[in-house]
Structure formats: C-alpha cells, structure tokens
C-alpha cells in the first residue's frame, strides 16, 4: 500500500469506491480486535504498576481496560490523518465523513460507541443493513454521518 499525501476527506460519488466494502469491514474488524487484544497486554502491565503506586485504586480500571484501550486505539487511528485503523489500512478502506470534514478523535469515539451499542442490540441486523442501504453504510454510519470507502 502506498502513502497518499492527500488523504480522502469527502465521500466520492463513484460506485467503485464502495464495491466490496462490507466484506472488507468484517475482516478489518477481526484484525483490529486482535490488535486491541494484544495492546491490552502491555496496558495491563502498566495498569498493574500504576495500581501499586496509587495504593490499589488502579485495580478498579481492569474491568474497563478493553474499552479504554479500544477507545484510544480507534480514536487515535480513525481520528488521525489516515482516517483508518491498522486493520482498515490492511484491508484498503477508510472512514470519511459525508460533509467533507476530516474525522476527529471525538467523532471516531462516537462512531465506535454507537457500533458497540447497536451491535449489542441488533447483532445480525447491523450487517444486513449494509446490504440494502446505499454505499454499503451501516446504521451507525448513518447516525454519525460517515461512509466507508476503498482506498486501494
């Protein structure tokens, strides 16, 4: 994959930018959560030593460790200049906003939170929506105003 000095911010009109995006999103999801699980290991070690320094108060963060690591991972990668996480980059996709503005940290976090909430309520339907909605958008994409496009 080559470096693009001019990142894509606006949603393109060409239908080819959305071809095969839904299956790529599924594989990117699997890769990203493997990366987040691996990132939880050093985060747990750091949290252990932080818990010793704070006389045990840091141990209360262990139940939320995965959520914190995933939030930081997606906020920094999707909200960064490439607008894609490592799994998305590997699959050749990126998230862009429909209004043409670049993704920021807060929008990436809201996108992730809505995905988790809607996935827990509408597990099979969240992917089925992408088959029927234009540009293969999912429900949380509609709510946030984003679309996933091919970069490769």
């Amino acid at each position: 994959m080559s470096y693009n000095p001019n990142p894509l911010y606006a949603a393109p009109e060409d239908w080819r930018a959305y071809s095969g995006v839904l299956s790529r999103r599924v594989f990117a999801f699997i890769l990203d959560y493997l990366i987040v699980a691996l990132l939880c290991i050093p985060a747990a070690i750091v949290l252990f030593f932080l818990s010793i320094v704070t006389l045990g108060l840091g141990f209360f963060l262990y139940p939320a460790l995965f959520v914190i690591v995933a939030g930081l991972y997606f906020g920094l990668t999707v909200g960064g200049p490439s607008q894609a996480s490592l799994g998305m980059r590997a699959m050749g996709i990126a998230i862009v906003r429909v209004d043409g503005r670049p993704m920021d940290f807060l929008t990436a976090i809201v996108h992730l939170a809505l995905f988790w909430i809607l996935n827990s309520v509408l597990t099979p339907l969240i992917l089925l929506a992408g088959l029927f909605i234009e540009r293969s958008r999912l429900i949380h994409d509609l709510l946030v105003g984003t679309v996933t496009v091919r970069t490769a």
Side-chain angles (χ1 to χ4, degrees):
M1 187 162 88
S2 63
Y3 173 71
N4 184 5
N6 299 318
L8 180 69
Y9 290 131
E13 295 297 324
D14 190 9
W15 64 270
R16 291 175 290 193
Y18 310 103
S19 175
V21 165
L22 198 55
S23 60
R24 289 173 183 238
R25 284 181 88 162
V26 172
F27 290 116
F29 170 82
I30 294 168
L31 284 173
D32 283 331
Y33 277 90
L34 286 173
I35 292 169
V36 169
L38 290 175
L39 288 174
C40 281
I41 296 169
I45 294 169
V46 169
L47 186 57
F48 174 76
F49 289 113
L50 182 68
S51 299
I52 292 173
V53 172
T54 61
L55 303 174
L57 291 177
F59 287 119
F60 290 111
L61 291 176
Y62 271 109
L65 184 64
F66 186 82
V67 174
I68 293 168
V69 170
L72 286 173
Y73 172 75
F74 284 103
L76 293 173
T77 56
V78 175
S82 67
Q83 299 189 158
S85 62
L86 296 177
M88 292 173 154
R89 287 184 213 169
M91 292 294 117
I93 56 176
I95 296 179
V96 295
R97 291 174 56 163
V98 176
D99 60 6
R101 294 185 298 173
M103 288 284 286
D104 58 346
F105 183 84
L106 185 61
T107 306
I109 294 294
V110 170
H111 189 269
L112 177 67
L114 283 174
F115 171 74
W116 281 344
I117 292 167
L118 292 172
N119 196 26
S120 65
V121 175
L122 306 169
T123 300
L125 299 177
I126 196 164
L127 287 176
L128 291 177
L131 297 174
F132 301 106
I133 299 174
E134 66 173 339
R135 299 180 181 175
S136 297
R137 294 172 74 184
L138 301 180
I139 298 169
H140 60 286
D141 292 327
L142 293 172
L143 294 174
V144 179
T146 60
V147 65
T148 303
V149 296
R150 292 178 66 159
T151 58

